[in-house]
Amino acid sequence: MEDTMGFLIKKSIKYFSFILVFTLFFSANSQSLLAQKFPNKPVQIVVPFKPGGGADRTFRLFAPYLAKELGVPVNVTNIAGGGGWVAWAQMAKWDANKDDHKLGVINLPHVLSLLDPRMKRTQTLKSFNFLAWHSLDPCIWAIREGDPRFQTGKQFIDYVMKNPNKIVMSTTAVGSDDHMGIAYAEKFLKGFKVKKVYANGDSKKIQEVLGKHTDAVAGNVGYYVPYFMDAKLKPIFVLSLERSPNLPSVPTFFEVTGLKNVSYAGRTLATAPGMAESKRKTYLDAIKRAIENPQYMAKEAKNKNPLLFKESAELWKTLNESKSMVQKVKFWEAAK
């Protein structure tokens, strides 16, 4: 009996030892595989503005399609303040390992407010690890539908020149794409001068002009089209070299004035500086596939948001073109 019990005990010990070793081996290998997979937890897209604006709307729509490509949830977080700089200052300092599950939205030309000498910024474009250009939404100028003073771009320009500093325009922060277009006009269109009211967000700007607190508004095509369709606002200029396919009857600033006043909201995605190239490629490939998803493309077409994927040299060419434009305009000279 004792021999039988001893035999059973030994067998049991061997069995449980085997199970323990197998479990530890399986657990170690599972953890190793999990560590090798990237990304292996939810990814965060940081939008540098309050919820509800064009960038926020765009990337909340984009998130589920990127999640499908990455195989993990993708969530949008808003970090507003400083015209985008509360978030951008953080992005420039992201750690390549600790922050490798974060993507940042960087808007052009907004981020080029770093060129404003009054800001004393130490960052340059090279401070950010740009992955891809995502979309480009041209700027527009609009007035109230039915304003008896002007209903065309030429009438608006003529009125401003006859009444300098009398017309009030709603725009977003100094250095934004909206402000940049106004600054260009004031610098290169002799006699053009308006008062500027800075509002935090498109909804606020639209409320101001519809409520007759301001006379005109600078914004972006995609966000404003519904207000044009409802005959609440009337677009008078597109700030592009070509007419917008979403507003084919609206002339460009160049067509009316002969000046190449080009401004837009260029939305890019970046990640932590110094990130391993393999991780960068994972993100970049997923972003490209998500942008090219037919369902996503159809939704953005409905939102009138032109997608524009660019990477590598092509991306940096556009970044540097935007920088050159800002250096030419020197928007900080037209801050008031």
Side-chain angles (χ1 to χ4, degrees):
M1 183 69 178
E2 290 182 4
D3 290 343
T4 302
M5 287 296 295
F7 173 78
L8 291 174
I9 290 171
K10 290 179 181 179
K11 291 287 287 185
S12 297
I13 291 173
K14 287 182 179 180
Y15 174 76
F16 285 114
S17 296
F18 172 79
I19 293 296
L20 179 61
V21 170
F22 178 80
T23 301
L24 291 172
F25 176 81
F26 180 79
S27 176
N29 277 273
S30 296
Q31 290 177 9
S32 177
L33 288 171
L34 187 62
Q36 290 174 15
K37 182 184 182 300
F38 180 83
N40 55 21
K41 60 182 179 180
V43 169
Q44 185 181 53
I45 295 180
V46 176
V47 173
F49 308 109
K50 288 183 178 181
D56 181 70
R57 180 182 64 174
T58 292
F59 288 100
R60 286 187 186 278
L61 185 62
F62 183 62
Y65 295 94
L66 183 59
K68 180 181 178 182
E69 299 299 337
L70 291 174
V72 296
V74 174
N75 306 308
V76 173
T77 299
N78 299 83
I79 301 178
W85 272 101
V86 171
W88 293 330
Q90 294 177 18
M91 292 177 200
K93 295 180 180 178
W94 277 351
D95 183 89
N97 296 312
K98 293 179 181 179
D99 299 307
D100 62 353
H101 281 68
K102 292 180 181 179
L103 295 174
V105 175
I106 300 181
N107 287 51
L108 276 291
H110 307 60
V111 75
L112 288 165
S113 56
L114 60 83
L115 296 172
D116 184 345
R118 300 169 305 169
M119 292 185 71
K120 298 180 180 179
R121 288 280 171 194
T122 58
Q123 298 90 349
T124 69
L125 286 179
K126 293 290 186 179
S127 300
F128 304 98
N129 192 355
F130 288 97
L131 286 168
W133 196 289
H134 174 276
S135 52
L136 189 153
D137 195 0
C139 286
I140 52 91
W141 288 4
I143 57 175
R144 285 186 301 278
E145 188 74 58
D147 191 317
R149 298 169 297 176
F150 31 67
Q151 281 294 290
T152 67
K154 186 178 185 309
Q155 290 172 351
F156 179 79
I157 294 290
D158 290 344
Y159 190 94
V160 172
M161 289 184 163
K162 290 176 183 177
N163 302 277
N165 282 315
K166 297 295 183 183
I167 290 299
V168 183
M169 286 191 72
S170 290
T171 180
T172 37
V174 173
S176 67
D177 56 328
D178 305 334
H179 177 255
M180 203 75 65
I182 298 172
Y184 182 100
E186 292 188 326
K187 188 176 184 72
F188 297 107
L189 190 59
K190 188 175 181 180
F192 185 91
K193 187 69 177 177
V194 298
K195 289 183 179 179
K196 294 171 280 294
V197 172
Y198 300 100
N200 192 355
D202 288 292
S203 59
K204 178 65 174 174
K205 290 189 295 180
I206 291 169
Q207 289 172 16
E208 289 172 345
V209 70
L210 292 179
K212 299 185 179 181
H213 302 295
T214 60
D215 304 293
V217 60
N220 298 99
V221 171
Y223 196 90
Y224 282 71
V225 165
Y227 294 90
F228 303 149
M229 295 178 68
D230 289 343
K232 293 180 179 179
L233 294 175
K234 181 180 179 65
I236 55 173
F237 289 125
V238 176
L239 274 59
S240 176
L241 293 180
E242 298 178 355
R243 294 193 179 195
S244 167
N246 293 311
L247 297 170
S249 64
V250 180
T252 66
F253 194 90
F254 176 73
E255 287 179 280
V256 177
T257 68
L259 294 174
K260 296 180 180 180
N261 189 358
V262 176
S263 193
Y264 51 76
R267 302 181 182 113
T268 71
L269 283 166
T271 191
M275 177 178 282
E277 188 58 35
S278 59
K279 293 181 179 180
R280 251 186 126 263
K281 188 175 187 308
T282 296
Y283 277 135
L284 187 57
D285 291 347
I287 290 167
K288 185 176 183 180
R289 291 194 302 269
I291 288 177
E292 294 175 349
N293 183 299
Q295 188 180 57
Y296 174 64
M297 293 174 69
K299 287 183 177 180
E300 285 289 33
K302 186 177 180 180
N303 281 339
K304 313 300 182 185
N305 182 36
L307 298 173
L308 185 68
F309 178 83
K310 291 185 179 185
E311 60 175 307
S312 303
E314 188 181 22
L315 165 65
W316 274 98
K317 180 176 183 291
T318 306
L319 291 173
N320 286 321
E321 286 173 350
S322 188
K323 179 182 176 181
S324 296
M325 183 269 289
V326 173
Q327 290 172 323
K328 178 181 179 182
V329 175
K330 296 182 179 179
F331 64 85
W332 48 90
E333 296 178 351
K336 296 182 180 179

